[in-house]
Amino acid sequence: MLAVVKIAGQQFKVSKDQTLYVPQISGNAGDKVEFADVLMFDNNGTLTVGDAVKAVVKAEIIDHLQGDKVIAFKMKRRKGFRKKLGHRTHYTKIKINEIA
């Protein structure tokens, strides 16, 4: 069983008992979440796409964490201009419990 689901503006291909990192979603660790925006659903060879999909993906939030630090260094030569910026993107680790 396989589904393509839209989570926080991004598309993910998910299956049962899979863990994945998605952009941060609200909720605490241990909370159950449902994603109703399923774009494609494959049930043992029966493929459903588009508005005909009536599936729901149920998942559990495992943890909230941050990605690696990304450094953006800007410089203009011979002008003395240097600027160092950085950020760490927030992610949520979820486990797919059921595709129904």
Side-chain angles (χ1 to χ4, degrees), residues 7-59:
I7 303 172
Q10 295 182 3
Q11 295 178 10
F12 294 93
K13 184 168 91 172
V14 298
S15 59
K16 188 176 189 301
D17 296 329
Q18 179 183 6
T19 60
L20 63 140
Y21 297 93
V22 298
Q24 187 171 23
I25 55 177
S26 61
N28 296 325
D31 288 353
K32 309 285 187 195
V33 291
E34 289 187 1
F35 304 108
D37 198 4
V38 179
L39 306 173
M40 185 192 81
F41 181 62
D42 182 15
N43 189 5
N44 299 326
T46 306
L47 188 68
T48 310
V49 181
D51 292 336
V53 178
K54 302 294 184 210
V56 174
V57 176
K58 297 179 181 179

Side-chain angles (χ1 to χ4, degrees), residues 47-85:
L47 188 68
T48 310
V49 181
D51 292 336
V53 178
K54 302 294 184 210
V56 174
V57 176
K58 297 179 181 179
E60 178 183 355
I61 296 175
I62 297 173
D63 195 14
H64 295 287
L65 33 111
Q66 292 181 331
D68 294 334
K69 182 170 260 195
V70 177
I71 304 291
F73 182 72
K74 299 179 181 185
M75 179 180 140
K76 293 186 180 179
R77 62 183 186 158
R78 297 188 301 267
K79 305 297 180 195
F81 174 78
R82 292 172 179 224
K83 185 184 256 188
K84 184 177 178 183
L85 304 169

